[in-house]
Amino acid sequence: MYVIQNAKITKELELDGLSCVEVAVEPARMGDSSLLLYITGSVDGSLELHRIIRNHHDLTLDWYNDNANTAFEDATEIAFENRIDVLAEQEKEKFLQSLLSYGSMNQDLQNRLLSHK
């Protein structure tokens, strides 16, 4: 399981026709990639993980830090895999709950995504 060391909201944007909030996540474990998460609000009032981007950037190589370079990998489809003890959808939900329990992230995301509806 990916352990979050730090998470912060970086911006609001529209992605695939949906209002999203981008969250930058730094890992607690050495070797794990930084992530950019795109969270949306659903009509039932819940928050959903819409897209996951792995950020393999190295500031000495990728000093321009834009997501058009190869350091950014769309991992939405491959981030969670079925295992013997847990299904991919369960792992995804555990990760989302871990993110939402980080600091005031749940309330901050709800304020930005669900207060407009």
Side-chain angles (χ1 to χ4, degrees):
M1 177 72 177
Y2 188 93
V3 180
I4 297 170
Q5 177 180 343
N6 188 25
K8 65 179 180 178
I9 293 173
T10 53
K11 63 183 170 184
E12 294 180 38
L13 67 153
E14 189 170 303
L15 189 61
D16 302 326
L18 299 170
S19 294
C20 294
V21 171
E22 181 184 83
V23 179
V25 178
E26 294 298 324
R29 288 191 298 230
M30 190 95 142
D32 285 349
S33 299
S34 298
L35 301 173
L36 293 175
L37 307 175
Y38 297 90
I39 311 295
T40 62
S42 68
V43 287
D44 69 358
S46 63
L47 298 170
E48 296 179 357
L49 187 53
H50 179 66
R51 185 172 293 168
I52 302 168
I53 303 293
R54 286 187 185 144
N55 186 349
H56 303 287
H57 78 278
D58 177 347
L59 290 178
T60 59
L61 300 173
D62 302 312
W63 52 270
Y64 40 91
N65 195 24
D66 68 11
N67 61 2
N69 68 64
T70 58
F72 293 83
E73 167 196 12
D74 187 341
T76 307
E77 299 298 321
I78 61 171
F80 305 101
E81 298 175 349
N82 288 326
R83 297 190 324 237
I84 292 172
D85 58 337
V86 67
L87 297 174
E89 198 58 38
Q90 293 169 317
E91 188 72 17
K92 181 179 179 181
E93 185 59 32
K94 279 175 63 175
F95 176 73
L96 180 59
Q97 291 310 313
S98 174
L99 174 69
L100 295 177
S101 66
Y102 183 85
S104 62
M105 187 62 65
N106 186 26
Q107 190 62 49
D108 295 344
L109 287 169
Q110 293 214 17
N111 288 344
R112 289 179 184 235
L113 290 167
L114 302 176
S115 63
H116 307 306
K117 296 184 180 206

